């Protein structure tokens, strides 16, 4: 079945460092891919999305490109801030949108 | 724009007690999802509704769990009797039925069963 695998954390970075959180997927059809962010004590918020191959989602300085050839959707940010400290979830939705799969989450801590 | 509203935000109860979690979806959204989040199992979809009708409850762990959606603006998730292993954060999310991928999550209810 469809699934998402993301790198395990926790990840600790210094402010202004480069961030990559890896995410790969397995899907039989044409999924949409998402990154959600969960700040401490809050619910999940949609960070960015891509609905077809080669699409790039971007928001708040974060980017991820839907790579069908490598079945990946890695999250990147060129310069992280302390306020980016959160848990990041990669997610996949099947072609119908009815099936939605979350990764296990990657905790990011950015230190000043 | 109130977003998805959940109550209570925190609940502490004793084993065997009944627990009721509440959710108000975003106005106009006609799909509603209940999730459970634990360290061991991550995010699990428990049940979802379209237009107040339960569509898939295969994620509901046991008969002790039940969910209702009596109208478009309110849903409950009930656990009776509660057990310590039910301790988790329970999230409600909503979306438009024709855009189920774009789900908006509530802040969650942190349940602790002693």
């Amino acid at each position: 079945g469809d699934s998402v695998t993301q790198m395990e954390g926790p990840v600790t970075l210094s402010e202004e460092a480069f961030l990559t959180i890896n995410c790969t997927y397995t899907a039989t059809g044409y999924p949409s891919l998402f990154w959600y962010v969960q700040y401490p004590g809050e619910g999940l918020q949609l960070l960015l999305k891509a609905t077809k191959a080669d699409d790039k989602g971007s928001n708040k300085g974060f980017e991820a490109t839907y790579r069908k050839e490598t079945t990946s959707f890695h999250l990147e940010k060129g310069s992280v801030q302390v306020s980016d400290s959160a848990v990041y979830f990669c997610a996949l939705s099947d072609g119908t949108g009815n099936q939605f799969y979350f990764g296990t989450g990657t905790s990011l801590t950015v230190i000043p | 724009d109130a977003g998805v509203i959940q109550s209570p935000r925190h609940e502490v109860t004793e084993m065997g007690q009944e627990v009721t979690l509440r959710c108000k979806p975003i106005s106009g959204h006609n799909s509603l999802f209940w999730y459970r989040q634990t360290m061991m199992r991550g995010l699990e979809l428990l049940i979802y509704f379209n237009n107040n009708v339960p569509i898939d409850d295969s994620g509901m762990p046991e008969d002790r769990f039940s969910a209702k959606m009596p109208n478009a603006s309110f849903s409950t998730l009930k656990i009776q009797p509660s057990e310590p292993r039910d301790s988790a954060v329970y999230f409600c999310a909503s979306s438009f039925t024709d855009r189920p991928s774009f789900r908006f999550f509530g802040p969650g209810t942190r349940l602790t069963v002693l």
Side-chain angles (χ1 to χ4, degrees):
Chain A
D2 294 1
S3 67
V4 168
T5 303
Q6 63 182 102
M7 66 182 279
E8 293 192 14
V11 175
T12 302
L13 294 173
S14 297
E15 207 165 19
E16 299 184 2
F18 185 86
L19 168 71
T20 299
I21 300 178
N22 289 340
C23 172
T24 57
Y25 68 89
T26 303
T28 53
Y30 302 94
S32 295
L33 300 171
F34 305 82
W35 278 100
Y36 279 82
V37 58
Q38 184 179 27
Y39 297 104
E42 298 184 14
L44 279 72
Q45 302 175 25
L46 179 63
L47 180 60
L48 54 85
K49 67 185 188 298
T51 57
K52 61 183 187 297
D54 300 325
D55 269 2
K56 177 186 284 188
S58 61
N59 186 24
K60 299 181 180 180
F62 291 90
E63 292 184 341
T65 301
Y66 188 164
R67 302 276 188 209
K68 191 173 181 182
E69 64 275 15
T70 54
T71 62
S72 64
F73 193 56
H74 304 322
L75 182 68
E76 298 181 336
K77 186 174 185 181
S79 177
V80 293
Q81 306 300 313
V82 172
S83 57
D84 294 328
S85 298
V87 180
Y88 293 82
F89 292 88
C90 186
L92 173 155
S93 170
D94 72 358
T96 68
N98 290 318
Q99 298 298 327
F100 210 84
Y101 304 91
F102 283 95
T104 53
T106 301
S107 175
L108 169 67
T109 301
V110 180
I111 55 178
Chain B
D1 194 353
V4 177
I5 298 173
Q6 291 187 246
S7 64
R9 292 294 308 276
H10 302 273
E11 176 81 31
V12 180
T13 191
E14 293 188 345
M15 183 174 64
Q17 296 298 304
E18 177 179 296
V19 174
T20 299
L21 311 181
R22 297 172 176 80
C23 175
K24 177 179 169 55
I26 291 173
S27 179
H29 281 185
N30 44 11
S31 290
L32 183 141
F33 310 84
W34 281 103
Y35 286 86
R36 178 172 67 176
Q37 184 181 42
T38 62
M39 289 293 292
M40 290 295 293
R41 302 170 74 96
L43 269 164
E44 303 173 276
L45 177 65
L46 301 178
I47 184 171
Y48 78 93
F49 297 81
N50 283 348
N51 297 309
N52 313 340
V53 176
I55 302 301
D56 183 354
D57 66 354
S58 59
M60 297 284 264
E62 300 172 35
D63 290 346
R64 299 183 296 106
F65 286 69
S66 63
K68 294 182 179 180
M69 192 165 186
N71 58 61
S73 59
F74 183 65
S75 177
T76 59
L77 177 68
K78 185 176 294 187
I79 308 172
Q80 166 64 15
S82 59
E83 297 183 4
R85 59 196 168 113
D86 301 331
S87 298
V89 181
Y90 291 81
F91 288 103
C92 177
S94 70
S95 74
F96 292 109
T97 298
D98 61 350
R99 303 187 74 190
S101 300
F102 300 98
R103 301 175 188 189
F104 293 82
F105 284 76
T109 296
R110 181 174 295 278
L111 173 65
T112 303
V113 183
L114 302 174

